[in-house]
Amino acid sequence: PTYRPGSAGPEVFALEQRLAELGFRPGPVDGTYTAETASAVMAYQKHEGLGRDGIAGPETMGAVFAPLRGSGPLPWGPVPRLEIDLDRQIMFVLLGDGSVTALNISSGNNQTYRHPAGYTAVAATPVGQFAVERKIDAAEHAPLGTLYRPMYFKGGFAVHGSTSVPGYPASHGCVRTSYADQDWLFPLIPRGTPVVVRSGGPVIDPGTDAPLA
């Protein structure tokens, strides 16, 4: 059987319950496959190296109830923190209570684009150690689109809600989450929270030029 938004029943309930146990965020565990469930399924698919479609087919259902193959967040670094894994397109949310939650994200697609202001830029998400500099508890309408409840961590780069969080990098450089995930995340992350963005090799602390530890 294959489960997708609109599906319901005990199998969906078991899927949601298992995802929540593994540290993903399927929304209410109520046996109804919602957009939040699909977002959690896609995050799990990315975590495990499966096809990224947000649909729980036989392979995904089997993997959810099998031992994890994918690695979690870095075993060192500040806590609490947001840790963004650009390679897998997921974000780990590490809180002071010891909990770790993985969210589906979409980051910069590394393509050249023409900014409405008239200059050319590359849609790259910066790698390194940063911190949440400012937060806006509203939908901010920027030249490149709407940023829902943005949390800025480097200049104009933010973690923000979006109506489009696909299985691949698609933004101009910001880190997109779903609206529901951003509503959950926003009140949990105060200004000053470390933000680690990593891809491939070790993350370097820009203040010391040393690996983050």
Side-chain angles (χ1 to χ4, degrees):
T2 295
Y3 306 97
R4 64 185 73 229
S7 299
E11 295 84 1
V12 175
F13 180 87
L15 169 65
E16 293 172 327
Q17 188 174 51
R18 180 62 172 161
L19 286 169
E21 291 173 353
L22 295 174
F24 295 81
R25 212 193 73 80
V29 178
D30 58 5
T32 302
Y33 203 117
T34 64
E36 288 180 86
T37 311
S39 181
V41 167
M42 186 178 290
Y44 185 81
Q45 290 170 331
K46 292 176 175 182
H47 187 275
E48 296 296 287
L50 304 173
R52 305 173 174 187
D53 58 7
I55 296 171
E59 183 181 23
T60 296
M61 290 294 287
V64 166
F65 293 97
L68 287 173
R69 298 192 304 271
S71 60
L74 298 172
W76 36 259
V79 177
R81 73 175 182 269
L82 300 179
E83 183 178 319
I84 297 160
D85 183 336
L86 297 181
D87 296 332
R88 288 186 290 176
Q89 293 288 285
I90 53 179
M91 177 169 62
F92 295 104
V93 182
L94 293 85
L95 300 178
D97 61 4
S99 65
V100 179
T101 303
L103 300 180
N104 180 45
I105 62 107
S106 180
S107 63
N109 62 17
N110 293 310
Q111 300 296 312
T112 301
Y113 68 96
R114 189 73 173 173
H115 193 277
Y119 60 86
T120 299
V122 176
T125 302
V127 173
Q129 182 182 6
F130 312 100
V132 175
E133 300 170 348
R134 58 191 177 98
K135 301 171 60 178
I136 299 176
D137 193 5
E140 184 176 25
H141 302 287
L144 295 174
T146 299
L147 285 66
Y148 178 69
R149 303 185 85 178
M151 302 187 296
Y152 290 92
F153 61 88
K154 179 179 171 60
F157 294 97
V159 175
H160 68 83
S162 173
T163 56
S164 175
V165 190
Y168 50 87
S171 81
H172 291 96
C174 284
V175 176
R176 298 179 184 175
T177 66
S178 70
Y179 273 42
D181 283 343
Q182 193 70 8
D183 281 337
W184 172 80
L185 182 66
F186 190 90
L188 297 176
I189 305 301
R191 287 191 299 273
T193 299
V195 178
V196 175
V197 185
R198 62 184 175 93
S199 177
V203 176
I204 303 299
D205 184 337
T208 64
D209 293 328
L212 177 64

